[in-house]
Amino acid sequence: MEISTQDKARHYLNPLHVYCSLAHVLQKKRAMLAAMAYEKVIMTFISGHWK
């Protein structure tokens, strides 16, 4: 089974993946806040473009 570009993007743009990546360089609380803000932006973008 080959992984598509869309699957790779979905994985890397997942808010949990963003949090885990940021937790290595930021404090966990700040990484969580950043991931939550990122999730709001992504959900706003998705709900506005893919109805």
Side-chain angles (χ1 to χ4, degrees):
M1 178 179 182
E2 191 170 323
I3 298 173
S4 70
T5 304
Q6 184 179 13
D7 289 334
K8 289 178 186 178
R10 191 177 299 128
H11 171 75
Y12 286 113
L13 297 176
N14 183 317
L16 179 60
H17 191 276
V18 171
Y19 165 76
C20 291
S21 298
L22 291 174
H24 289 288
V25 294
L26 299 176
Q27 296 172 351
K28 290 183 179 183
K29 186 174 182 176
R30 288 183 185 205
M32 178 64 74
L33 292 173
M36 288 169 59
Y38 168 78
E39 183 177 21
K40 285 182 181 179
V41 169
I42 290 299
M43 288 300 136
T44 300
F45 176 76
I46 289 172
S47 67
H49 290 338
W50 286 286
K51 288 185 178 182

